Amino acid sequence: MTSQRAFAMLVLLIMTTTVCWTVCAAKTKPPMTDTDRLRAAAGSCDVSQMKSLLAAGADINAADDKGLDALSYASRNVYPVATVRWNIAKQFRLKCPESVTTLTQAGANPRTAKIYHNPKLDQNPPRLVAIISVQDARETKGGGLSVDEKLAAAVEDAFRGRRYSFLTLNDVRQKLRTAGFSESETVNPDPLKACKALGADAVFQTTLKDFRKKNIGIEEGTATNVEFNFTDCETGELLFRNNTGEITEARGFLIKHFISGFEMVCGSEMEIPDYEKKKN
């Protein structure tokens, strides 16, 4: 066998094996269920398909392997409305508010969804927001981080950049102590009780679940897991929620900005739109 023929046979063998792997993979991939289709429809603004699948019994609360349910997919379907620092778009509005409304009216639970964006946040944003708690829920604490100061500064910077009127964490704690809240209630207040004491339109809570160095291939990066909850004071409804899990960045980007107290610890995960006064 000549070298050219041998090479041709090798190429044919590789192509045949590749086709076999592709076909086999296609055959072994499980078919989409109605619940899979519901999540896909929620993420693509197909409201009529969502309603049909819900009527057929698709599981509205079932999550995929990423932990995202249909409501999370509808809530993450957003478009950028502004570009801010470093030319990174971080202010977003819902593409299809009706998708979110359809799911919540059908029984989807915003408080268990990984991501939730209430259409009301876009339609009528709160005039005064109170940052009522910054919790360090890491199993292993340390690293010289002052969570109250640094994470609160990051959140406050994010609100400041979006023109909200807000009460800082220190302002909130002083007001709650004056209102007779105990020290434990001041540090971790009930949202609706805090609303009444502060006269705010909405309250914002942040929980740091993890923050550590992590190897990313041959690079060393940092990983953070932060949960945000934004609650309307008048109705008690969630306006925004993000609990998607770990965010990993290479080259120490997150740790640099977290220690500096910058907003980038929130990154694209805190998708708060600019505050715009409601037009009469």
Side-chain angles (χ1 to χ4, degrees):
M1 182 182 294
T2 65
S3 59
Q4 287 183 336
R5 186 178 179 186
F7 179 73
M9 291 294 291
L10 177 60
V11 171
L12 180 61
L13 177 62
I14 292 172
M15 291 177 64
T16 304
T17 305
T18 302
V19 170
C20 179
W21 283 342
T22 303
V23 172
C24 291
K27 288 182 178 179
T28 57
K29 186 177 180 179
M32 286 187 71
T33 65
D34 281 353
T35 301
D36 295 328
R37 293 187 183 91
L38 176 63
R39 288 190 292 262
S44 60
C45 300
D46 193 342
V47 176
S48 61
Q49 173 77 336
M50 288 168 55
K51 290 180 178 179
S52 297
L53 291 165
L54 288 169
D59 189 345
I60 196 170
N61 293 313
D64 61 11
D65 56 358
K66 298 176 183 177
L68 302 178
D69 58 8
L71 186 57
S72 297
Y73 277 101
S75 295
R76 65 184 277 179
N77 190 12
V78 294
Y79 65 93
V81 294
T83 300
V84 290
R85 201 178 296 176
W86 299 294
N87 202 35
I88 300 173
K90 291 188 299 176
Q91 299 167 19
F92 300 85
R93 301 249 175 112
L94 286 169
K95 282 185 179 179
C96 303
E98 189 181 352
S99 295
V100 175
T101 303
T102 297
L103 290 167
T104 53
Q105 289 177 346
N109 187 354
R111 296 188 182 277
T112 59
K114 291 285 186 182
I115 306 170
Y116 178 62
H117 188 135
N118 193 324
K120 292 181 179 179
L121 183 58
D122 298 343
Q123 298 161 2
N124 190 21
R127 290 167 295 178
L128 179 63
V129 178
I131 300 168
I132 63 170
S133 69
V134 175
Q135 297 292 317
D136 184 357
R138 291 176 295 161
E139 292 183 7
T140 303
K141 297 179 174 61
L145 300 177
S146 175
V147 173
D148 277 7
E149 294 178 6
K150 302 302 181 183
L151 185 54
V155 172
E156 289 164 10
D157 194 33
F159 275 103
R160 191 175 291 111
R162 290 157 177 81
R163 301 192 295 274
Y164 280 89
S165 295
F166 66 92
L167 297 174
T168 67
L169 184 64
N170 285 335
D171 291 338
V172 164
R173 289 181 174 175
Q174 290 176 7
K175 289 179 179 291
L176 293 181
R177 290 187 184 103
T178 301
F181 282 56
S182 68
E183 192 59 31
S184 61
E185 290 174 327
T186 298
V187 172
N188 189 23
D190 175 86
L192 295 184
K193 288 182 180 179
C195 282
K196 293 179 181 179
L198 298 168
D201 298 304
V203 292
F204 193 84
Q205 298 161 282
T206 306
T207 302
L208 179 65
K209 295 184 173 182
D210 195 13
F211 183 77
R212 57 193 169 82
K213 290 185 177 181
K214 182 178 181 180
N215 290 324
I216 311 171
I218 61 173
E219 290 188 284
E220 184 180 76
T222 50
T224 188
N225 186 343
V226 186
E227 177 183 342
F228 305 107
N229 286 285
F230 200 4
T231 305
D232 183 82
C233 283
E234 183 178 357
T235 65
E237 292 180 82
L238 270 180
L239 293 175
F240 179 85
R241 170 178 167 79
N242 195 295
N243 184 27
T244 51
E246 187 175 276
I247 311 164
T248 302
E249 290 283 352
R251 298 176 298 280
F253 185 66
L254 286 169
I255 194 168
K256 172 185 173 185
H257 289 284
F258 183 77
I259 291 175
S260 300
F262 289 167
E263 69 177 315
M264 289 307 294
V265 69
C266 305
S268 61
E269 297 305 307
M270 192 165 72
E271 300 166 352
I272 303 173
D274 268 346
Y275 172 72
E276 294 180 1
K277 291 182 180 179
K278 186 177 180 182
K279 296 178 181 179
N280 295 325

